[in-house]
Amino acid sequence: MRIGLVDVDGHAKKKKWGATVYPNLALCKIARHHKSLGDEVEWAIPFYHYDIIYMSKVFNFTPDDLTVYDAETIIKGGTGYDICSKLPDEIDRLQPDYSIYPHIPKNTAYGFLTRGCPNKCPWCVVPRKEGFIRPYMDVDEIAIEGRKHLVLMDNNILAAGDYAKEQMWKIIERGYRVDFNQALDARLVTDDFALLLAKMKWIDRRIRFGCDTHKQIAECERAIALINSHGYKGEYFLYTMLNDNFDECYKRTHYWWERNHRCREEHKPNIYPYAQPYRDPDNPNRPIPLWQKDMAQWVNKHQIFQMTDFANFEPRKGFKCSEHFK
Ligand code: SF4
């Protein structure tokens, strides 16, 4: 059979601004499955005929691919199409075939140690999509083909308790370098976890936390101090969701702006916030307020963030963000 793949989010293409380009794991597993059956697998090309085309979309805000493909069957899947869509178990358990993404470094693998989350944050689709937290794969099953850099996309690894600790010890013993790229929950950093996090090797020397509410600032500070007390010398990266409350978002991002200035003066490693406007999972067309776009730009352009306060930031000619305060 001839199989065509479509990565609707466009991860197959190189993105601007040097943004990290992640492989679509579902397509990698589908590729592995069909190759094991002796099928031909390639990125779908318009006007070619395929037996099956798989279209996968992770984000609900990605516009659909409206190309007219020629196939006996077209299967659409991924959270971007349907929040409940899942691969059949026998495909889900396969190792991804990274060869469909030739730009992915040969030393890097992607995966999940756990699925699900015990929390129910109102803005998040994970509890609805994946349910309660549970073990999913062993780290050695992810580190295939001698790949030692592991991008682990767990939604809340620290909530997995002893299983998380066991996996982290394995990561340390094997010398894997990791990135928990969906961020850690600072509230769950106990002294045991802090020791493990300080001992692990990190891709880009960076530990990520979520800082989506004002309350989480104190939790992030507590976790950072605890991890540093165990000898960690790297940086921190904080996902900072922008909600509809301008005042709260400004105070939260400004807190890290000031903190960063102090770090630089004291020659301490930086703490990088990364701001993302809230995306409504049930309404992908909900407009993003201009102040959120400007604030995200201010925070995420690190050179500007280092130099300029939000009020003085000029995202457009003749427009200063001090206007947003009026
Ligand atoms: S802790 Fe993270 S993964 Fe869990 S529900 Fe909240 S935002 Fe989602």
Side-chain angles (χ1 to χ4, degrees), residues 10 20 41 58 69 80 92 105 116 136 146 149 151 175 187 202 246 276 301 319 326:
T20 314
V41 180
V58 175
Y69 292 105
D92 190 46
Y136 174 69
H149 285 208
V151 178
R187 293 168 296 188
W202 295 88
F246 173 84
Q276 295 170 305
K301 290 192 171 170
F319 181 88
K326 291 177 184 165

Side-chain angles (χ1 to χ4, degrees), residues 38-164:
D39 298 333
E40 246 179 82
V41 180
E42 64 184 26
W43 293 112
I45 301 169
F47 308 117
Y48 281 35
H49 180 76
Y50 294 94
D51 295 287
I52 308 176
I53 284 187
Y54 291 93
M55 297 178 68
S56 176
K57 185 157 97 84
V58 175
F59 304 110
N60 67 351
F61 52 81
T62 304
D64 202 358
D65 180 348
L66 300 178
T67 311
V68 178
Y69 292 105
D70 176 8
E72 300 299 318
T73 310
I74 294 185
I75 299 174
K76 292 186 174 190
T79 314
Y81 284 125
D82 172 7
I83 197 173
C84 297
S85 96
K86 281 192 179 124
L87 286 174
D89 255 8
E90 66 277 13
I91 300 181
D92 190 46
R93 303 303 304 183
L94 294 174
Q95 312 286 13
D97 174 358
Y98 295 113
S99 69
I100 64 170
Y101 288 97
H103 67 273
I104 295 297
K106 296 274 178 280
N107 63 351
T108 306
Y110 301 77
F112 298 82
L113 300 174
T114 61
R115 297 315 290 253
C117 178
N119 298 338
K120 288 198 166 53
C121 303
W123 59 83
C124 179
V125 297
V126 171
R128 264 197 282 163
K129 183 175 163 55
E130 297 186 11
F132 201 74
I133 189 148
R134 61 206 176 277
Y136 174 69
M137 273 195 181
D138 187 278
V139 69
D140 289 338
E141 293 178 85
I142 296 171
I144 56 169
E145 298 157 355
R147 293 168 190 260
K148 291 210 151 207
H149 285 208
L150 309 179
V151 178
L152 301 169
M153 298 181 279
D154 295 66
N155 293 296
N156 197 345
I157 179 69
L158 301 185
D162 287 346
Y163 176 73

